[in-house]
Amino acid sequence: MENGAAKPVIVAIDGPSGTGKSSTSKAVAAQLGLSYLDTGAQYRAITWWMVTNGIDIDDPHAIAAAAGKPEIISGTDPTNPTITVDGTDAAAPIRTQEVTSKVSAVSAVPEVRARITELQRSIAASAPDGIVVEGRDIGTTVLPDADLKIFLTASPEARAARRSGELKGADVNATREALIKRDAADSSRKTSPLAKADDAVEVDTTALTLAQVIECVVTLIEEKRADK
């Protein structure tokens, strides 16, 4: 079926760090002519803004009070996803270790989640041909009515190996510990925890190549489109 004739399809891809979410989501969206949204980048962006503007990350009230201030704009082209904060290109600074170490604390503040969730829903609703949205609470909280929900998993060892490969020379054991700590923080927070939706399709990527994961997800989406 041609993309033009296909009905818009909203796909939620959740899962912890290092499961291949971003690489898979971008490739799948590009292949199927869909928009793409990295929700984690939005939480990193608001965290970066907080750090840059001297907001006390240890004070949830201070974070909550500032949550509405930054203007965050996400470009949804899967081949060139962009993110700006108050008009500044934030793609590089949001990936620093400082932001990574603080994003869980900022993301746990309900006012931050409410602000970013609203932003994510408006982007998904306005995607002309549909969208692949990746994150940790998309299928459960942000887009509970998504046409297709996928939850990617992988063993902590496989995830650490991939992530330390991305982080050039990072210690695999240290990376594994950091991932497990991040999972615990994201899974135990009161507001929109990392969780698999009851109706999500779980895909264990531990023994799969990226190409195999992409193929699996594309097949799931095409089957869903055929049913619509």
Side-chain angles (χ1 to χ4, degrees), residues 112 131 203 222:
V112 170
I131 192 167
V203 178
E222 288 181 333

Side-chain angles (χ1 to χ4, degrees), residues 4-16:
K7 291 176 184 167
V9 62
I10 292 180
V11 182
I13 299 186
D14 290 306

Side-chain angles (χ1 to χ4, degrees), residues 27-177:
V28 166
Q31 195 170 319
L32 294 176
L34 303 174
S35 298
Y36 160 76
L37 179 61
D38 174 359
T39 64
Q42 295 177 315
Y43 283 106
R44 286 175 171 275
I46 201 166
T47 301
W48 174 68
W49 184 92
M50 298 272 176
V51 171
T52 306
N53 285 275
I55 307 298
D56 183 356
I57 302 301
D58 296 321
D59 182 354
H61 297 292
I63 293 172
K69 292 181 179 175
E71 182 188 32
I72 298 168
I73 297 178
S74 298
T76 57
D77 177 354
T79 61
N80 182 33
T82 57
I83 187 154
T84 63
V85 181
D86 293 341
T88 300
D89 179 2
I94 65 171
R95 301 293 170 186
T96 61
Q97 188 54 47
E98 184 180 23
V99 170
T100 299
S101 67
K102 292 173 177 170
V103 68
S104 285
V106 174
S107 302
V109 176
E111 289 81 358
V112 170
R113 298 208 77 81
R115 161 88 201 282
I116 300 294
T117 296
E118 185 183 351
L119 185 60
Q120 291 161 0
R121 285 176 177 158
S122 67
I123 291 169
S126 60
D129 296 312
I131 192 167
V132 177
V133 183
E134 59 134 319
R136 284 170 164 72
D137 66 337
I138 310 307
T140 51
T141 303
V142 180
L143 299 170
D145 298 324
D147 298 302
L148 177 64
K149 302 173 187 178
I150 295 168
F151 194 85
L152 297 185
T153 63
S155 71
E157 291 71 24
R159 292 164 51 209
R162 289 172 190 161
R163 189 43 63 95
S164 56
E166 290 171 17
L167 299 171
K168 302 292 182 286
D171 180 318
V172 174
N173 287 331
T175 304
R176 180 175 174 273
E177 292 306 313

